Amino acid sequence: RVGAAEMPGTDTNFFVSGSIGSRGTSNPGTSVFGGDVVITGSANIHRAVAIGDSLNTLPNTTSLNVYSNVSGDFATVIDNDNASSGHGLKVTSDGTGSGTRLLDLESASTTIVRVRGDGRVGIGKVTSLPSARLTVEGSGGDADIAVAAKIQHIGDSDTSIEFESDRTILTAGGQSMLDLKEDGSSTQVLILSGGAVSSLDPQNLSD
């Protein structure tokens, strides 16, 4: 449906409205495109797509802007129902340095997750990313990193730090180097323990 009186802006050439019954009401109706929708233009002219409730949300520099003001729901949902290879979202860029931000997640204007083009990842209140590949910044009584059971060295399956209930085991080359245990019945720090096959298991001792 095209009409000059219904165009939302003076530079609009084609305006797609909702259902006919929604005309003149607060109900926007639904617009359905049966095939692919392609928005393009000359290479040196910026083309933008805005999804939201106002033309004021049209981005000036970003190509796609999704605006929402809803409570208890997500502004955007990407749903792939394929059960075997249902990929969700891919972000790609030719940038490989520290100036390329592949992903920024913000809360109240504070960056809490950042992924840079040089492979560094920051989680928490991210202000800077030092030489570490993964930077976790936390505060208060919460743990900065919570691990279910094990931290393992890549390419070295028998070298790890493993967590059990009230117990931490540091293993290198399949050998328990350091075993720390406090389960209420005993408090132990075992260093390279075990000895011969016939040796007593130090974990069964009271001290």
Side-chain angles (χ1 to χ4, degrees):
R1 197 163 48 125
V2 180
E6 299 166 10
M7 291 183 180
T10 57
D11 61 345
T12 302
N13 294 320
F14 182 60
F15 176 63
V16 181
S17 181
S19 58
I20 296 297
S22 66
R23 183 177 182 180
T25 70
S26 59
N27 182 9
T30 302
S31 301
V32 178
F33 294 85
D36 297 334
V37 178
V38 178
I39 298 176
T40 184
S42 57
N44 60 346
I45 299 178
H46 177 67
R47 293 291 183 264
V49 178
I51 301 174
D53 60 359
S54 171
L55 285 180
N56 294 329
T57 64
L58 189 67
N60 294 321
T61 57
T62 57
S63 297
L64 173 64
N65 187 59
V66 179
Y67 173 80
S68 179
N69 187 3
V70 296
S71 176
D73 207 347
F74 295 97
T76 304
V77 175
I78 298 175
D79 185 2
N80 186 343
D81 282 341
N82 187 279
S84 60
S85 299
H87 306 317
L89 176 66
K90 180 178 181 179
V91 178
T92 181
S93 172
D94 287 340
T96 59
S98 61
T100 298
R101 298 179 183 177
L102 296 178
L103 177 66
D104 263 18
L105 302 182
E106 295 183 358
S107 176
S109 300
T110 299
T111 301
I112 56 176
V113 175
R114 173 167 293 169
V115 180
R116 290 195 330 201
D118 58 359
R120 297 181 186 176
V121 179
I123 302 174
K125 294 183 178 181
V126 181
T127 56
S128 62
L129 295 180
S131 57
R133 289 298 179 184
L134 174 62
T135 301
V136 181
E137 297 185 6
S139 61
D142 295 333
D144 291 341
I145 299 178
V147 179
K150 180 183 287 188
I151 300 174
Q152 181 175 306
H153 183 217
I154 295 176
D156 191 3
S157 61
D158 57 5
T159 300
S160 63
I161 302 175
E162 188 170 358
F163 301 95
E164 298 179 2
S165 179
D166 297 322
R167 185 179 179 188
T168 302
I169 307 169
L170 280 71
T171 302
Q175 172 67 52
S176 174
M177 298 292 182
L178 184 63
D179 191 336
L180 301 95
K181 180 181 179 182
E182 206 300 304
D183 61 1
S185 62
S186 63
T187 299
Q188 300 173 334
V189 177
L190 309 178
I191 303 173
L192 280 172
S193 61
V197 176
S198 59
S199 296
L200 294 175
D201 186 350
Q203 295 187 67
N204 298 327
L205 304 179
S206 60
D207 189 304

